[in-house]
Amino acid sequence: MNIMIIGAGFTGIQLAKRLINEKNNVTLIDNDEETIRHAGNRLDCKLFKADGNNLENLEEAGIDKADALVTLTESDEINMITCSLVDAVYPNLLKIARVRNYAYYVNTNAAALHHAETFLGKHRPLYGIDYMIHPDVEAAEAIVKAVEHGAISDVVTFGNDEFEITALRIEKDSRLDGISLKNIRSLSDKKFIIAYAETVDTKTGTFTSCLPSGETVLHAGDRIGVLAEKSDIKELLELCGTKVDAIKKIALVGAGRIGTIIADHIIEKDRTSVIKKLFAGTKKLSQDFVIIDSDQTLCKAASERFPSAKVFCADVTDEGFIQEEGLDKFNLVICATHNHEMNMVVSAYLESLGVEKTVALVAHSAFGDIARKLGVDVAVPVRDTLVDSIMSHLHGKSVTGIHTVSNGAFEIVECDLPSSSKLVGKTLKEIADPGNYLMLLVKKPGNDSYELPVGNTVLNTGDHLVLIEQTGDRKVLEKFSRID
């Protein structure tokens, strides 16, 4: 694909790297000379120093030959206006815009939903934007998903949460400590797949990621990505030596935009489902869900918006406050402020005091690795969730989702098998390529449920596939999905 990116900040560069690794043709535009120079030292792509909201500049850079436009400048208005401008002349071009103004995002989605019947026809999308992406929404939804699944680790779900991939840590002297994967099935009658493994170097503490084979031996401190039915995860956790307890008391640190979205999902939107799962055996929600922030204005707004929660205007790093409110006795603490470094430090500190599980919002996957080494259970990298969302929209209609795991080492790809694929009619054992990719799930046309594939599973046109590959391995994706 030919993809034009406007905005060469951190997200623009990370997105360009992913696309270049997949052998896409990338054009990167920014109006700051130093930013372009920095990008030129890191990327092998076309670079233009120009205003991206000028159609003449875009045409000079080759917008007429592009397949997609992604606007990632610091200005929401420029991102939206640029898409609108380009849409007027190049309506068939896929356009994706990042926005940080929550009102823009909410109002646009509400308008599109209200006029859904109109948009079923040939009506152009609002502002000419095919996909409007808000980084805080992506991050908040990732955190909510982790909380819904017990905050045990990074979680990727499929279908109606029927299957999930959970990153599990092998504890010392557990039943999996010292066992090879070829012998692991003798320990459980549950159906599962080890999607990836992260082996730890005990001397340096660094992890090496791989797509495992039957000869892979697990040791204490290693992590494995386990694909299984949601109902079977508890037993697999116990095999790893992880204690599974109901979450009864949750503290949310941060009443800003991300914190508000998280609280809104947990308290208001899913009261009949999530709350029942999270607050097992409790009667008064106000005593079991607290919100903490040092900003009085944010706390006042949170109190008004969430009357069932207890809101504290306090410094979460204050030991007196921690002791007075018994924060160290909470089952789960979610640190979701915009100070990502503080999120990591506070989460790690509270874990050391006795908090059972912590979730920290961090800047990107490199910090996620650091957070886990500090003892944080789940680290959600806000920039990586944003790039994942953009990537899923750029792989064509056949690809319906992309999720990076293992600190970005692997991509879990959801795609539909087109009739043009050479794999139609092949069995899984005929196309197996150990070490390069692994087929995880298959959903046949007309079926609502996924199935764990076996060697004799035959692939047919329209099958919805879930597979794991090394990030950026375009050759694997080309086998299973047409990339326009």
Side-chain angles (χ1 to χ4, degrees):
M1 291 181 70
N2 297 315
I3 301 166
M4 184 172 289
I5 302 171
I6 300 177
F10 183 92
T11 302
I13 288 178
Q14 292 303 113
L15 176 62
K17 278 184 178 180
R18 294 267 298 271
L19 291 169
I20 292 168
N21 288 340
E22 292 186 356
K23 310 303 180 185
N24 293 288
N25 298 314
V26 176
T27 300
L28 188 59
I29 299 174
D30 199 287
N31 62 5
D32 184 83
E33 185 172 350
E34 179 63 21
T35 300
I36 284 293
R37 186 192 65 77
H38 175 69
N41 293 332
R42 305 181 65 186
L43 302 171
D44 182 17
C45 67
K46 294 179 182 178
L47 298 163
F48 286 87
K49 177 188 173 299
D51 288 327
N53 60 341
N54 184 303
L55 186 59
E56 186 177 342
N57 291 341
L58 297 181
E59 290 178 331
E60 183 180 346
I63 191 71
D64 59 317
K65 296 181 176 61
D67 298 297
L69 170 71
V70 184
T71 56
L72 298 170
T73 76
E74 294 300 312
S75 169
D76 291 349
E77 290 76 15
I78 288 178
N79 293 339
M80 296 167 68
I81 290 172
T82 301
C83 287
S84 180
L85 178 65
V86 171
D87 186 69
V89 183
Y90 304 99
N92 295 324
L93 183 70
L94 178 69
K95 290 163 285 290
I96 301 172
R98 177 185 66 186
V99 298
R100 290 193 174 98
N101 187 314
Y102 192 54
Y104 289 161
Y105 178 85
V106 171
N107 293 339
T108 300
N109 283 344
L113 182 63
H114 183 69
H115 297 282
E117 293 186 4
T118 301
F119 286 99
L120 288 175
K122 296 182 179 180
H123 197 285
R124 300 302 305 146
L126 291 173
Y127 305 108
I129 302 171
D130 294 290
Y131 300 102
M132 182 180 287
I133 299 176
H134 196 295
D136 290 352
V137 172
E138 301 293 333
E141 290 180 350
I143 290 175
V144 171
K145 182 179 291 186
V147 172
E148 288 178 344
H149 290 76
I152 50 178
S153 71
D154 308 328
V155 175
V156 180
T157 60
F158 305 97
N160 296 318
D161 286 354
E162 179 185 4
F163 285 90
E164 64 182 56
I165 293 180
T166 307
L168 308 181
R169 186 178 186 274
I170 309 300
E171 301 296 338
K172 185 175 177 57
D173 297 327
S174 70
R175 298 180 68 187
L176 298 189
D177 185 6
I179 196 171
S180 63
L181 291 190
K182 63 183 179 183
N183 296 323
I184 199 172
R185 294 197 178 279
S186 64
L187 302 180
S188 174
D189 60 357
K190 303 299 183 183
K191 295 181 179 180
F192 62 91
I193 293 175
I194 307 299
Y196 63 89
E198 299 174 352
T199 57
V200 63
D201 185 322
T202 55
K203 293 182 179 180
T204 64
T206 57
F207 287 92
T208 301
S209 302
C210 69
L211 296 179
S213 67
E215 302 303 319
T216 301
V217 178
L218 302 176
H219 299 285
D222 293 350
R223 297 208 315 166
I224 53 175
V226 180
L227 170 69
E229 291 189 36
K230 185 176 178 180
S231 57
D232 294 335
I233 291 295
K234 182 178 180 180
E235 180 175 321
L236 297 175
L237 275 165
E238 292 172 348
L239 280 179
C240 294
T242 300
K243 185 179 179 182
V244 183
D245 293 320
I247 297 176
K248 297 181 179 180
K249 301 183 72 175
I250 296 180
L252 171 63
V253 181
R257 184 184 300 121
I258 294 179
T260 299
I261 298 172
I262 293 170
D264 194 49
H265 274 70
I266 293 176
I267 297 176
E268 301 297 336
K269 301 300 181 183
D270 299 306
R271 177 176 297 278
T272 60
S273 56
V274 177
I275 292 301
K276 286 183 178 179
K277 290 185 288 184
L278 297 182
F279 299 93
T282 61
K283 296 180 179 180
K284 295 183 179 179
L285 176 63
S286 60
Q287 295 179 359
D288 298 292
F289 188 90
V290 304
I291 301 173
I292 305 164
D293 202 294
S294 58
D295 187 292
Q296 291 185 354
T297 302
L298 293 178
C299 288
K300 181 180 179 181
S303 296
E304 294 173 351
R305 186 179 181 93
F306 307 111
S308 60
K310 195 170 185 179
V311 179
F312 293 100
C313 187
D315 180 359
V316 72
T317 64
D318 184 344
E319 290 191 20
F321 171 74
I322 292 173
Q323 293 177 3
E324 183 179 345
E325 298 303 330
L327 204 58
D328 56 323
K329 302 298 191 298
F330 275 60
N331 303 108
L332 170 66
V333 175
I334 305 166
C335 291
T337 75
H338 283 285
N339 186 334
H340 300 147
E341 289 79 7
M342 190 190 80
N343 292 338
M344 288 194 299
V345 172
V346 169
S347 295
Y349 179 59
L350 291 175
E351 284 249 5
S352 71
L353 293 179
V355 172
E356 294 178 13
K357 302 179 188 300
T358 56
V359 177
L361 181 71
V362 299
H364 49 79
S365 59
F367 282 104
D369 190 29
I370 294 172
R372 279 187 286 269
K373 289 179 181 178
L374 291 174
V376 179
D377 293 286
V378 181
V380 175
V382 60
R383 289 168 176 168
D384 292 74
T385 58
L386 176 66
V387 173
D388 282 354
S389 181
I390 295 172
M391 289 291 294
S392 67
H393 296 309
L394 287 175
H395 278 86
K397 294 181 179 179
S398 294
V399 176
T400 60
I402 290 183
H403 320 274
T404 54
V405 293
S406 191
N407 292 330
F410 302 114
E411 288 179 337
I412 297 170
V413 180
E414 296 184 64
C415 63
D416 297 321
L417 191 66
S419 58
S420 59
S421 174
K422 296 180 180 179
L423 303 183
V424 171
K426 300 283 188 180
T427 63
L428 209 55
K429 62 184 178 183
E430 291 178 302
I431 64 171
D433 192 1
N436 287 322
Y437 71 84
L438 181 65
M439 185 68 65
L440 302 176
L441 292 168
V442 176
K443 184 166 67 173
K444 295 295 182 179
N447 288 351
D448 293 329
S449 300
Y450 286 94
E451 62 183 55
L452 291 171
V454 296
N456 292 325
T457 298
V458 179
L459 301 182
N460 296 307
T461 298
D463 284 354
H464 185 73
L465 311 176
V466 179
L467 57 100
I468 186 169
E469 62 175 11
Q470 292 184 359
T471 297
D473 192 344
R474 182 183 173 94
K475 298 188 298 295
V476 172
L477 192 55
E478 284 179 334
K479 289 183 178 181
F480 293 94
S481 173
R482 184 193 309 113
I483 300 179
D484 298 321

